[in-house]
Amino acid sequence: MTAFADLLSIKRACDTLGLDAALSRALVNTARPTIWLRHADPVADAALLTGASKVGGEPDLPPGIIWPTRPALADPDGTAKRLRKNLTNGAGADDVVSCVEFVIEHLAYETPMAFLAQVNLSVMAREAGFDPSLPDRGMLWASNDPFADWYGTQSPSGGISLLWSDAGGLERRATPQVVREAWQKGVSDYGSLKSEPWEADVKSEPLFPVSGWSISPRLSQHAYIDLADERFEMKEGGGDQLGGWEEPIQGNMHGEVELISSGKADSELAYAKTVLSAGERWRHVLTINAETYLWRLMPTWGDGAMFIFVDESELEARRFGQAVATSQFT
């Protein structure tokens, strides 16, 4: 990740590499404060205080917020047919068959999402690297569709939900039974059945802030240059990011985000200039690194991350319901 302690560090890094003066100036002028979230070791979720920032475990929600759900798929019958065909062409082990049938059972129904992470913005707002575009109070919760890896279909949101609320009365909410059963049947592990119940190993990784500055990856492909001599040193277990500029793994993603938001994620126009230009409206809010305790729900991430964006106008109005996400891998 290209993280800097201050604006002067960015300027020195650009000078050291002899970057074009105009690009160097733009990188400094468009830099944004950001917070990298360092992971602590996994702990029993019950041991964490209500409202702590964390990845995994179970969320602390106010009474007025319902658990986020994934809408019914537009073509559940066609998706079911394709999944069964894949079984016929593949190994088709008994456990896998049972898992696929469980996924198929829920294609035509609104289904609870799996909780990924929560961030206490009231606490993060005290940090020097807090992005002022974000609310300086309340909590942010991210969830995803745990079945998405099986049917490969993304909703207009990219299969995620992002919630924000500054309501009080937070209470730890138990994971819905459907998500627990999905884990038990191996939805997150290629159909491998689990020998223990969900409740036997509910852990989370506490998140702690590290303030810095981020540079724009959208100005030029040369913005991905190695600025290691001034780069922030992160301890092992870091990588999650709150606000600031996104830190791509493979390349610019704002055009892709624009297409996902309009239901055209597979379009060949992903890198068309008009799409990239429209995609500038998306503001990075949260990155969740794959190398976390999330193996319980998302093992196929491997070495990568999920990037979550919100339209700038929606973010300004404090509406997070239309958030969009995409993933990149090394």
Side-chain angles (χ1 to χ4, degrees), residues 183-194:
W183 178 80
Q184 194 77 52
K185 290 181 177 293
V187 167
S188 65
D189 197 14
Y190 308 104
S192 299
L193 295 176
K194 305 303 179 186

Side-chain angles (χ1 to χ4, degrees), residues 45 54 56-60 67 115 118 172-176 180 198 202-204:
D45 193 52
K54 63 183 181 181
E58 295 180 315
D60 301 322
W67 194 281
F115 169 68
Q118 67 182 34
R172 192 142 305 167
R173 195 84 61 87
T175 297
R180 299 183 185 203
W198 171 277
V202 180
K203 293 183 179 179
S204 55

Side-chain angles (χ1 to χ4, degrees), residues 98-120:
S98 174
C99 182
V100 169
E101 289 301 324
F102 181 81
V103 172
I104 289 173
E105 288 175 14
H106 296 88
L107 297 178
Y109 303 98
E110 186 175 286
T111 304
M113 287 190 166
F115 169 68
L116 296 179
Q118 67 182 34
V119 179
N120 190 321

